[in-house]
Amino acid sequence: MHSFHYVGRQLHCEGCSLESLAAQFGTPLYVYSQSTLEDHFAKLDRAMAPLDHLICFAMKSNSNLAVLRTLAGLGSGFDTVSSGEIRRAIAAGADASKCVFAGVGKTRDEIAYALEAGIYCLNVESEAELKRISAVAVERGQIAPVAVRVNPNVDAKTHAKITTGTYENKFGIAFEEIEKIYARAAKLPNLRLRGLQMHIGSQLTSVEPFRKAVEKVVPLVDRLNRKHGFDFFSIGGGIGIVYKPALESGAAGWWETAEGRKVLTPQRFAETLVPLLKPLGLKILLEPGRYISGNAGVLVTRVEYLKKTGKKHFVIVDAAMNDLIRPAFYDSYHEIVPLTKKAGALVSSDVVGPICESGDYFAKDRPLPKVGEGDYLALLSAGAYGSVMGGNYNTRSLAAEVLVKGDNASIVRKRQAVEDIWRDESVATWQKS
Ligand SMILES: *Cc1c(COP(=O)(O)O)cnc(C)c1O
């Protein structure tokens, strides 16, 4: 489910009207639903209950402290990709012993910090990295828990920029190399070979690639476990979501499209994978990002201008690609709806931001209700890979963020003051007068 729905003509997040939030906090504004975050986490957690398991929320999808605090409160661990993310998770109240640290480029300082923080495992992407972690662990007189990321060479059949599980990309170590790597790693000092990790891609809307990868990798995990005494196998993240959810009451949940077509539900995911994983007798880690945060957030924006050219009807809004880069970056679809429901015919519209780039658009030739200057729109499914990818291009402030719980709304990131954008800059020493 997700908690964005119309009450009368007004789009609400839980018990709060989004128009009143836009009026109170300004736009562009990210709004997150705490109940939706909790619901998504609980659904997956319940589905995986037959296994000893740990959900490590992939915080690169949304790392707002309030979002992390919500999930930490439910017992979630965190999948982190930098020492900054580990620090952020701890600042939000996360238990470091439930955090894993992934990524192909960990620096010595980051490795040292992760060991000092006492994280559950470092997920390793190359043999050079294993050697470096071993060396840092020796220097610190600590044992480093590690898992190697296997690339199962299974095509996730998703967008080229978010597929990771084939030999065409930089992630993991080839399936055929893994046993040799573990044999060599076992000879390196101060490493504990704690498990094996994989992640085949993002926004997977069918369970089949997961099934294929798990079927292929489970026998490998079993052999390695017998040799090295593992604690866990991580099957990564990547559960896809519906970007075109139905908003009418009584209609679909977050996993059902506006056309009523079902994609990957946690039940289906678990039904397929639990029987394959159970015989391992290991703790199973999951690293969902988008599944938990994606449909728990929207980006609210205000219509600034309408502009007609010979061919096009442009709706120019106050949000831009610096706030939400996914359409420009991945050609992503975000459903766009008015905060106040409109009657009347739909108009084929291009929704664009004010940035000086042709890539700064949210939709092209989209049938939308007729809107006017000052109307508000919501870009749905913006909770994952939205504000975290925000930037200051065109010296635009980072958007404000609000968390809603029932009738309560709280600012959880204040709108960046424009002077703060250049606060760490200065003129060169010889330019000072
Ligand atoms: C990005 C990433 C995830 C999360 O992916 P989602 O599609 O958001 O679930 C999980 N694990 C790893 C290693 C990742 O890089």
Side-chain angles (χ1 to χ4, degrees):
M1 69 140 219
H2 63 79
S3 302
F4 296 90
H5 50 264
Y6 285 100
V7 177
R9 292 174 63 217
Q10 289 298 318
L11 187 62
H12 279 59
C13 172
E14 304 194 24
C16 294
S17 124
L18 288 172
E19 270 216 28
S20 64
L21 297 181
Q24 188 179 352
F25 300 110
T27 52
L29 182 71
Y30 277 99
V31 180
Y32 307 124
S33 155
Q34 182 167 338
S35 303
T36 306
L37 292 165
E38 290 169 344
D39 177 71
H40 292 173
F41 180 90
K43 282 214 170 79
L44 186 61
D45 202 35
R46 236 180 287 135
M48 297 303 288
L51 298 175
D52 177 16
H53 70 279
L54 175 65
I55 296 176
C56 293
F57 173 61
M59 63 183 277
K60 74 174 193 275
S61 73
N62 188 323
S63 58
N64 183 286
L65 292 188
V67 169
L68 302 185
R69 172 65 64 94
T70 297
L71 296 168
L74 300 174
S76 183
F78 296 93
D79 175 36
T80 69
V81 291
S82 69
S83 59
E85 280 198 350
I86 302 172
R87 284 174 205 268
R88 188 185 263 276
I90 291 170
D95 179 349
S97 71
K98 287 183 177 176
C99 291
V100 293
F101 182 19
V104 296
K106 301 176 192 79
T107 65
R108 283 179 172 273
D109 285 349
E110 287 186 307
I111 293 165
Y113 177 72
L115 293 177
E116 183 188 325
I119 66 158
Y120 182 73
C121 196
L122 291 102
N123 295 337
V124 175
E125 306 242 12
S126 66
E127 196 160 8
E129 190 190 328
L130 274 174
K131 288 179 183 156
R132 183 181 286 186
I133 294 170
S134 165
V136 174
V138 168
E139 266 168 41
R140 298 181 53 84
Q142 264 181 291
I143 302 293
V146 294
V148 174
R149 173 168 176 177
V150 59
N151 184 334
N153 200 24
V154 168
D155 185 1
K157 299 215 161 39
T158 182
H159 190 281
K161 281 189 185 155
I162 51 180
T163 190
T164 57
T166 72
Y167 293 165
E168 302 288 303
N169 60 65
K170 69 181 179 186
F171 298 104
I173 290 177
F175 184 83
E176 295 76 16
E177 303 292 319
I178 289 287
E179 281 170 284
K180 281 176 262 174
I181 299 268
Y182 271 87
R184 291 200 287 272
K187 296 193 181 111
L188 293 172
N190 294 44
L191 293 184
R192 171 168 174 212
L193 308 182
R194 193 159 202 187
L196 186 79
Q197 196 266 352
M198 70 172 194
H199 171 71
I200 57 174
S202 201
Q203 184 53 14
L204 275 62
T205 51
S206 148
V207 77
E208 276 314 297
F210 286 109
R211 189 184 54 75
K212 275 193 200 137
V214 167
E215 274 178 347
K216 182 167 177 184
V217 174
V218 157
L220 173 69
V221 179
D222 201 38
R223 287 198 297 279
L224 289 167
N225 181 28
R226 282 166 211 279
K227 273 199 196 117
H228 304 291
F230 279 177
D231 289 335
F232 80 94
F233 171 38
S234 171
I235 61 171
I239 301 177
I241 62 164
V242 168
Y243 276 96
K244 224 175 174 178
L247 285 179
E248 303 307 319
S249 59
W254 63 268
W255 59 84
E256 212 171 301
T257 66
E259 295 82 40
R261 200 165 45 81
K262 282 202 175 182
V263 295
L264 188 49
T265 64
Q267 291 79 1
R268 177 134 180 70
F269 180 81
E271 235 167 60
T272 309
L273 301 182
V274 165
L276 302 172
L277 294 165
K278 184 103 188 157
L280 283 173
L282 292 172
K283 184 194 279 290
I284 301 300
L285 263 58
L286 300 107
E287 303 162 359
R290 185 191 317 266
Y291 156 80
I292 289 176
S293 57
N295 275 327
V298 301
L299 174 59
V300 176
T301 184
R302 193 181 62 219
V303 175
E304 291 293 334
Y305 296 101
L306 301 178
K307 176 171 171 177
K308 275 196 173 67
T309 64
K311 284 187 178 138
K312 293 271 196 182
H313 174 71
F314 289 103
V315 176
I316 302 169
V317 297
D318 70 351
M321 62 189 288
N322 75 300
D323 302 301
L324 179 68
I325 204 171
R326 297 186 69 257
F329 203 19
Y330 312 107
D331 314 308
S332 315
Y333 180 96
H334 284 272
E335 188 80 337
I336 301 176
V337 297
L339 296 197
T340 303
K341 231 190 230 178
K342 307 270 177 193
L346 302 181
V347 187
S348 179
S349 312
D350 279 27
V351 180
V352 302
I355 283 183
C356 307
E357 294 278 347
S358 324
D360 184 28
Y361 68 91
F362 294 121
K364 285 189 171 163
D365 302 319
R366 179 87 60 90
L368 287 180
K370 206 166 162 42
V371 291
E373 266 180 43
D375 285 347
Y376 292 108
L377 296 173
L379 291 123
L380 304 185
S381 314
Y385 308 104
S387 74
V388 282
M389 286 191 176
N392 288 129
Y393 190 37
N394 281 209
T395 304
R396 287 172 51 87
S397 300
L398 295 177
E401 296 173 70
V402 163
L403 184 71
V404 167
K405 170 90 179 155
D407 300 334
N408 294 316
S410 169
I411 194 98
V412 293
R413 171 184 208 138
K414 68 173 189 193
R415 190 173 306 283
Q416 187 179 29
V418 75
E419 302 79 15
D420 285 347
I421 299 175
W422 61 82
R423 194 176 51 192
D424 296 330
E425 297 174 34
S426 61
V427 297
T429 47
W430 61 87
Q431 292 172 319
K432 285 183 180 151
S433 53

